[in-house]
Amino acid sequence: MSTTTAAAPQDAPLSGAESRAARSRSLRLLGDLLRPHRGRLGWAGVLVVASTLGQVAGPALVAVTIDHALPALDDGDGAPLAVYGALFVLAAVVGGLAGGAYVRQAAVISQAVLLELRRRVFRQTQRLSLEFHEGYTSGRIISRQTSDLEALRELLDGGLTGVVSSVLVMVFTAVSLALLDWRSGVVLLVSFLPALALTRWFQKRSQVFYRRQRTASARVIVKFVETMTGMRAVQAFRREATTEQDYGALAEDYRAANYATFSLNGRYQPGLVLIGNLTVVAALAYGGWRVLTGELDVGVLVAALLYVKRFFQPIQQVGMFYNAFQSAAAALEKVSALLAEEPTVVEPARPVALPAARGELRLEHVTFRYGHGPVVLPDLDLTIPAGQTVALVGTTGAGKSTLAKLVTRFYDASEGRVLLDGVDVRDLSTPDLRRAVVMVTQEAYLFSGSVRDNIALGRPGASQAQVEAAARAVGAHEFVMAMPDGYDTDVNKRGGRVSAGQRQLLSFARAFLADPAVLVLDEATSSLDIPGERLVQRGLQTLLADRTAIIIAHRLSTVAIADRVLVMEHGWVVEDGSPEELVELDGRFARLHAAWRDSLV
Amino acid sequence: MPPDTADPTPRPAVETFRGSGAPGADASTVRALGRLLPFVRPALPRLVGGGLSALGASLAALAIPRVLQHVVDGPLAAGARTHDAGALWSAMALVLALGLAEAGLILLRRSLVMLPGTRVEAVMRGVLFRHLQDLPVAFHDRWAGGQLLSRSMTDLGLLRRWLVFGLLQLVVSTATVVVGVGLLVATTGWLGLVYLVGAIPVTVIVFRFSRRFRAISRRSQDQAGDLATAVEESVHGIRVLKAFGRGRDALESFTGQAEELRRTELAKAGQQARINVALTLIPELTLAVCLVLGAWLAHTDQITVGALTAFFATAAVINGPVVDLGMTLSMTLNARTAVDRFFEVIDTVNPLTDPDDPQVPAAPEGRVVLRDVTFRHDDAATPVLDHLDLELPAGTTTALVGLTGSGKSTLAMLVPRLYDVTAGAVELDGVDVRRMRRADVRRAVAVAFEDPTLFSASVRENVLLGVDDDLPAPERERRLREALEVAQAGFVEDLPQGLDTRIGEEGLSLSGGQRQRLALARAIAARPRVLVLDDPLSALDVATEEAVTARLRDVLAGTTSLVIAHRPSTVALADRVAVLQDGRVRAVGTHSQLLATDPHYRYVISSLEDDAAEHGVGALADATAEGDGDAATTRETTLDDEATGARL
């Protein structure tokens, strides 16, 4: 399911129901993230109010001082001046400190939420099955982790400050107005209708626009990551101009999407201001008419109009907040969609413990197909006793790698069962399974960091001696020592300085260190030179002496160390026996073996 | 990962920041942001217009309450006495006009600023991308993807927001404060001066803040880039992490990094909080002093009560912008960091460029000569290739054989000029490749890399990557079919949409062997004069390898080829073999010659060196079954042979 959804065009317009579901999923996530911080949010609100009060108190105290303390001073009483002066200082200190404390508090909340979300996305990325990753590009995951999170951060950092104090000011003003002249209050209330209509219009369109923006941004990132990763091929095949064109088009889409959201917001905000100002005019008309008819005192009208105007002053900030909110909600739609993906390979709810595996593998009537694709393994029945080394031989598409992926549980069988020591692998906890079964693939990825870190990936916390022993066992020690800082040498990006063969040796060392009961080698020696392969084989013979191994290799030299060879074709095992037996049999393996012998010098 | 040693090209991202003196720090911020000018210049009129509109809108907003007060108290009150409704109409018209003006000016400001904001960002993003594509592979080897991505997306996004909001606000706020304070001093003398004194600690604090904040801002943006790198690696290496069940460890280390970023962000917020407190507290405390002092001055009749009221009214107007200044300043400093990080890449001088007077070989036949070539990575102590000489005569196929890590792939990268030699020269048809345009060299030389990179595009586009776009369609199609046939990549016909199936990261995932065959097809389809194949058959099974070899020999005939080989089956493609050891070519000859004369070659290429192997599978299996005894002895012997070979 993940493959199809992930590969589907991202910006297919959502139907009404889908759109609502996406939005509510996104808001649920936001609520979920903020819930643990309810207390902190409340405290932040208190701080905002305190800082707002501090700021508002200043002008009021000035007015009181001039109106009361000054005449008192003229009467020879300096006490009121001292009191108001002190109050002014107090207001300044409270307002200032509360403002500062709020900034800190807001950052604490925002950073805690971001950290939590980063971790969730990362954990989810690791949790999701390979099937998912084969359809969802790294660029899109990076875009979830970077630019989508950035949108949320903007909301959390900037938005809240303004909105709390703005809303407070608006509420206070509205209440004061209602008390002063309820009829003007009604005018204010009526003005809510067009404001709401405008907001609704903005909400509907911005939802579309911000979604488009998120998609456009993800596309730019995907293209960027892909180009940078494949830079050698881009340059070697002179694709710079074409790539630049493609990237330019995507960047332009992103710019246009940004522009669209800006311009939407650029109409929404002045729209709100306009409604506010029209309300002032309406209040003036209504109040003025009542003044003319003598129903209303001029002084009251002045005050009422000033309240109406003041009510709308913070509206731009509220608009900004709403805008940031829409942007974050669209981003969280994408993030929550990723978080909602279910791995196709599921961890068992109640795992069967397997602390020390012996390594017996049994496949019972295993059928496998990728998604709805053609059947790769029609019906496989196979038992590999603990400690046996089995070589899989066959052409591309025979199902060798699929078998390896099932044993390592990168995929689950469509039908039938895969058993390790009699336990269905689907009933094993991931740590138990991974401790027991390790796979080394052709693609030997190195992470940035030292050589030691990369080998120690096989067993975190391994000592230097253990790391070195593993490296020696596969013949990697010499070239590692020849590197500038030995085991502390930083393997650069994508292992730039390490040849493909050396990378494979390092990933072999990892497997040595991991010391699993079952080792699966999927074309793990393809880039090794012959001396390197000899060394690895020597190491393998020691390593595999007491463990189960499945070796997929087209180099029959590697096959030679096997106790048993399975020749596969179209998902069926067509020959099964010891290498000598199969050579005797004069079948496919015998032919392959003869061809291989001929190729040797 | 940013480079870890001093190196002229890319600079380490984290350590680059150097704190500078307080006043200098701000001057350099202006200078740093000034570098934006070439990008911003076309948008300047609009930005200025936007600023003026913003100013106009603020004025209208300020005017409305005063006008209200005025019209209601004056004409309207008078009208009420005379029952003249006309006064109401004109008052309404005036307020309406101002209200429309305010909204209109806000609209104008936004629409003026929007376009330049997004356009400057897009232009800079394009410039960065172009530069990155121009920079050599050596640069990309050392710069982590996340650091480049965060520059392209996060940093430039930050700049956009600063251009649209921050810059105008900074100008408007600063202007308001300066004019306001000037007004205070001019109109109220002593009181104004007291207020001005308050500005001294504020200025000092702002400068100190700028310096500290800049350091933290730099750290935070660098850490964000590293975090992006960690994400990228965790996805690219997902198979390894899964195979070893290291998801949790990866999460832990990622959490550590994210936690570090969080701490930096909190430190940033701490600085932000401090400057906010300072910018609120100091002016307010100064005002408290002014209040008491002003009351005393009024009491002693040195100023009027009206002047005192005016003083505080003006101070109230300045108050808002002063507090905003903290926010705007941080935004500006973040923008400055973004500019710094952007230009760090842009300023990286490309040492591998097209010459001013490019040459083209007079007689293009595909002869390649490596003359006294030395190659050393910028940050390495020892060279990979050391005074190496090798000639690839036109039309011949040379196999390059050597131990893993002996520099074969590096040598291969020198031919299409993906790297430049440290000393010596690589010549293509008698012309130093450094004197040719890169595009010309790379049109002549096609490479199949050892780890094949496929792009998210159709099979067709991937294979035709190196074929000129202006070639007629039937010819392109012919080359495509031929290349696929040679590379035994018939499997593409069985893909869901055949040749139009999207592959690569965003499409169907292919097996290692399938990817390798497409990469090979891509190199063949380019029909280059020189073909460089880096271990092109390593991931193929025996039968496919045989089929590819048979067809490839035909294609290679007449094309100068360099084939990196680990196995005899690959060597079989070649007319001659060059043996690479310790950065030099130790011998050149045919396979059988070398087998007879060169022990190192025998050691590297021959499986039969191992005695056990001579007896075939059975013997090997026996040896295994017997345990370590005999087999170990034979292996010891082999190792001795190797040692001898290596010494020779």
Side-chain angles (χ1 to χ4, degrees), chain B residues 176-211:
Chain B
T176 314
V177 172
V178 169
V179 170
V181 173
L183 216 62
L184 287 181
V185 176
T187 56
T188 48
W190 276 109
L191 272 186
L193 284 177
V194 169
Y195 193 80
L196 198 59
V197 168
I200 295 170
V202 169
T203 316
V204 173
I205 288 172
V206 162
F207 273 127
R208 289 219 334 242
F209 161 79
S210 299
R211 204 177 63 227

Side-chain angles (χ1 to χ4, degrees), chain B residues 123-157:
Chain B
V123 167
M124 289 178 75
R125 184 166 289 136
V127 166
L128 182 65
F129 190 78
R130 190 175 318 133
H131 191 63
L132 285 174
Q133 285 209 100
D134 190 56
L135 284 169
V137 172
F139 172 89
H140 291 279
D141 283 348
R142 250 163 289 143
W143 275 74
Q147 284 296 351
L148 299 177
L149 179 72
S150 68
R151 278 166 171 79
S152 163
M153 295 304 286
T154 319
D155 286 352
L156 291 183

Side-chain angles (χ1 to χ4, degrees), chain A residues 234-238 240, chain B residues 133-134 136-137 352 416-419 428 437-446 528:
Chain A
V234 169
Q235 293 191 347
F237 290 95
R238 300 163 282 120
E240 292 96 333
Chain B
Q133 285 209 100
D134 190 56
V137 172
L352 203 154
R417 219 187 151 208
L418 289 172
Y419 291 103
L428 178 61
R437 288 176 53 225
R438 282 170 291 174
D440 288 339
V441 178
R442 290 167 192 171
R443 185 171 294 114
V445 182

Side-chain angles (χ1 to χ4, degrees), chain B residues 208-488:
Chain B
R208 289 219 334 242
F209 161 79
S210 299
R211 204 177 63 227
R212 289 201 193 127
F213 190 86
R214 209 146 59 76
I216 303 176
S217 147
R218 174 76 212 208
R219 193 160 67 218
S220 124
Q221 272 152 271
D222 284 342
Q223 284 174 349
D226 288 342
L227 203 62
T229 306
V231 172
E232 188 179 346
E233 290 194 346
S234 78
V235 184
H236 283 150
I238 188 87
R239 282 170 187 80
V240 173
L241 292 175
K242 277 202 178 292
F244 286 89
R246 291 287 166 255
R248 270 163 228 211
D249 302 274
L251 175 64
E252 234 167 75
S253 107
F254 174 78
T255 305
Q257 265 182 286
E259 180 63 47
E260 241 174 75
L261 174 62
R262 186 180 80 99
R263 274 198 297 274
T264 309
E265 287 292 332
L266 288 181
K268 207 158 117 184
Q271 288 297 327
Q272 179 94 58
R274 276 192 205 185
I275 192 78
N276 262 34
V277 171
L279 287 177
T280 323
L281 211 53
I282 296 173
E284 289 285 322
L285 290 179
T286 320
L287 280 184
V289 173
C290 291
L291 183 64
V292 176
L293 180 67
W296 181 76
L297 287 173
H299 172 61
T300 53
D301 285 332
Q302 296 184 50
I303 60 168
T304 64
V305 174
L308 190 60
T309 315
F311 172 86
F312 279 100
T314 314
V317 173
I318 310 175
N319 203 24
V322 169
V323 175
D324 282 350
L325 215 55
M327 237 9 163
T328 328
L329 210 59
S330 333
M331 201 174 179
T332 307
L333 291 168
N334 281 333
R336 185 250 154 104
T337 308
V339 171
D340 283 349
R341 280 165 49 91
F342 174 80
F343 279 107
E344 231 164 64
V345 175
I346 296 295
D347 290 344
T348 304
V349 179
N350 186 359
L352 203 154
T353 49
D354 291 336
D356 294 331
D357 54 338
Q359 301 189 356
V360 272
E365 44 171 4
R367 194 169 67 100
V368 176
V369 179
L370 287 93
R371 212 181 287 285
D372 198 22
V373 164
T374 297
F375 179 82
R376 186 172 56 78
H377 287 288
D378 289 336
D379 55 359
T382 49
V384 182
L385 302 176
D386 191 9
H387 298 286
L388 173 142
D389 281 293
L390 179 65
E391 184 181 345
L392 311 178
T396 62
T397 298
T398 307
L400 193 60
V401 175
L403 284 175
T404 198
S406 59
K408 302 186 297 291
S409 295
T410 310
L411 190 155
M413 296 301 114
L414 293 177
V415 182
R417 219 187 151 208
L418 289 172
Y419 291 103
D420 261 346
V421 295
T422 310
V426 178
E427 288 170 11
L428 178 61
D429 293 324
V431 179
D432 189 328
V433 289
R434 285 170 300 185
R435 311 212 50 185
M436 294 172 66
R437 288 176 53 225
R438 282 170 291 174
D440 288 339
V441 178
R442 290 167 192 171
R443 185 171 294 114
V445 182
V447 197
F449 297 98
E450 58 186 344
D451 32 46
T453 309
L454 297 180
F455 294 97
S456 299
S458 67
V459 171
R460 186 188 309 275
E461 288 166 288
N462 266 292
V463 174
L464 291 177
L465 205 63
V467 177
D468 281 333
D469 294 328
D470 43 14
L471 219 61
E475 173 61 16
R476 288 166 64 83
E477 194 66 17
R478 220 176 54 73
R479 284 208 195 174
L480 171 71
R481 299 282 168 187
E482 189 200 59
L484 287 173
E485 195 263 319
V486 173
Q488 299 294 310

